[in-house]
Amino acid sequence: MRGVVFDGVGPRVVDDLEVRDPGPGEVLVAVAAAGLCHSDLSVIDGTIPFPVPVVLGHEGAGVVEAVGPGVAHVAPGDHVALSTLANCGTCADCDRGRPTMCRAAIGRPGRPFRREGGERLFNFASNSAFAQRTLVTAVQAVKIPDEIPLTSAALIGCGVLTGVGAVLNRARVDRGESVVVIGTGGIGLNVLQGARIAGATTIVAVDNNPAKEPLARRFGATHFAGDPDAVREILPTGADHAFECVGSTRLIRQAVDLLDRHGQAVLLGVPPADAEAAFRVSTLYLDKSILGCRYGSSRPQRDIALYAELYQQGRLLLDELVTRVYPVEDFPKAVDDARGGRVARAVLTF
């Protein structure tokens, strides 16, 4: 079968992948579509260290082909969106409803894939959606209505869970509050629509590419600024919430500086693992906070179902995120377009 493999030098599309059959508590999924996320690019450029060779991809949707013993919530033929959280479901964090903090779901890649000749390959983010078939734990496969296009449903599993989840679950933006979103790529757009859904009244999108303004406003921005410094003209006393969605330590500092009293800066962008950010400590004493956020502090089995329902009600946008659909053979072109900022989200199909 076909898939995208990164060997530590560069990514390439191969056609000799194999994946093992599902074991207890596992689900085999025929992947229909997968979004190209910045995290995939970060593995390729070394920003996110990861063992190789690895089958890339982590934002996907498809149809269940087979289930292992003990799996009862999905069956062959079901449409599913995939999450990246292979959490155990039994530890203290899972029991508290914090699966993103489950240690079983952090940094423990498996090796369910082989290539012709026997070479074993790692899965990425417990998912590897850039393959015609992938193997996930049962908790990662969330049933969705068949009516939702799989090219759109694919984006729920990362971009929507991270962006909308950061607003609703981590920052807990309330009605009437102000929100600044720095960076309007796939994650930033979902933060914007999360703020809209939460009832924020002033939502400022910040991006140095003016061509992104119409889409940012479509997703919920009430204002658009080309630079963080311009935000002060819109919010003279600062913002209740500022989300950094780029992964720049300079912009992290600006997100902190843009806060009003009792404001929160939420970090969603991924800088290099050894990056250090600086800020003036004195600026935090008026009850300001800097919050990390992993995967939107999501509970995927609950949240994916919720977002699917909001999509069907017309309250959450998915189709508008899909700028272009590429057959997997055009993966290099999809990468080039994503890096060049020409697409909000590139989606691969198999």
Side-chain angles (χ1 to χ4, degrees):
M1 67 179 183
R2 288 169 296 164
V4 179
V5 173
F6 177 62
D7 61 3
V9 178
R12 57 196 177 104
V13 179
V14 302
D15 59 8
D16 62 348
L17 277 181
E18 298 177 358
V19 64
R20 64 174 174 79
D21 293 332
E26 294 180 332
V27 179
L28 181 67
V29 177
V31 178
L36 175 58
C37 177
H38 188 74
S39 294
D40 299 301
L41 301 180
S42 294
V43 172
I44 294 171
D45 66 24
T47 301
I48 297 179
F50 206 86
V52 295
V54 58
V55 180
L56 293 175
H58 64 285
E59 185 182 70
V63 180
V64 175
E65 278 204 354
V67 300
V71 178
H73 74 293
V74 294
D78 285 345
H79 287 205
V80 292
L82 303 178
S83 89
T84 68
L85 290 183
N87 58 294
C88 70
T90 59
C91 69
D93 284 310
C94 286
D95 192 53
R96 294 187 187 105
R98 302 187 306 200
T100 57
M101 296 296 103
C102 174
R103 284 169 171 77
I106 301 177
R108 297 184 180 183
R111 300 174 78 180
F113 295 97
R114 289 183 183 273
R115 292 193 65 190
E116 190 174 291
E119 180 186 28
R120 297 177 65 195
L121 297 90
F122 290 98
N123 60 1
F124 177 53
S126 302
N127 189 306
S128 291
F130 291 169
Q132 284 183 278
R133 294 176 184 82
T134 193
L135 191 68
V136 297
T137 62
V139 73
Q140 294 176 260
V142 184
K143 187 175 179 179
I144 58 173
D146 291 356
E147 300 79 35
I148 300 179
L150 290 172
T151 49
S152 297
L155 305 185
I156 300 177
C158 180
V160 176
L161 280 177
T162 300
V164 178
V167 174
L168 302 182
N169 301 326
R170 187 67 170 124
R172 302 194 177 209
V173 172
D174 203 357
R175 293 163 296 175
E177 292 188 325
S178 57
V179 171
V180 173
V181 181
I182 302 176
T184 60
I187 299 299
L189 289 173
N190 279 296
V191 174
L192 289 171
Q193 72 170 332
R196 170 177 51 79
I197 291 168
T201 50
T202 303
I203 305 172
V204 185
V206 181
D207 202 293
N208 60 9
N209 183 354
K212 293 186 176 183
E213 181 174 356
L215 193 58
R217 289 187 179 274
R218 176 75 179 89
F219 273 75
T222 60
H223 300 76
F224 189 90
D227 184 272
D229 293 336
V231 175
R232 284 292 180 186
E233 299 176 11
I234 304 164
L235 296 168
T237 63
D240 296 311
H241 308 274
F243 294 82
E244 200 283 340
C245 305
V246 178
S248 160
T249 56
R250 177 182 62 85
L251 294 177
I252 288 172
R253 167 62 184 270
Q254 289 184 301
V256 174
D257 290 344
L258 285 173
L259 296 177
D260 197 355
R261 299 181 180 191
H262 206 270
Q264 299 181 133
V266 183
L267 311 186
L268 295 176
V270 182
D274 59 353
E276 297 183 0
F279 58 91
R280 290 194 302 273
V281 175
S282 62
T283 64
L284 298 185
Y285 288 128
L286 292 174
D287 285 0
K288 299 179 185 181
S289 305
I290 301 173
L291 304 179
C293 183
R294 181 175 188 242
Y295 203 43
S297 301
S298 297
R299 287 180 276 176
Q301 287 288 338
R302 178 201 68 171
D303 290 349
I304 289 176
L306 169 63
Y307 300 152
E309 183 175 356
L310 290 176
Y311 167 79
Q312 290 185 301
Q313 294 175 359
R315 298 168 60 192
L316 183 137
L317 307 179
L318 291 177
D319 304 336
E320 294 82 354
L321 283 167
V322 183
T323 310
R324 183 173 173 184
V325 177
Y326 304 76
V328 68
E329 292 81 4
D330 288 346
F331 179 75
K333 172 62 175 172
V335 169
D336 185 60
D337 286 346
R339 283 180 167 157
R342 290 182 287 275
V343 292
R345 215 40 151 211
V347 174
L348 302 179
T349 57
F350 296 86

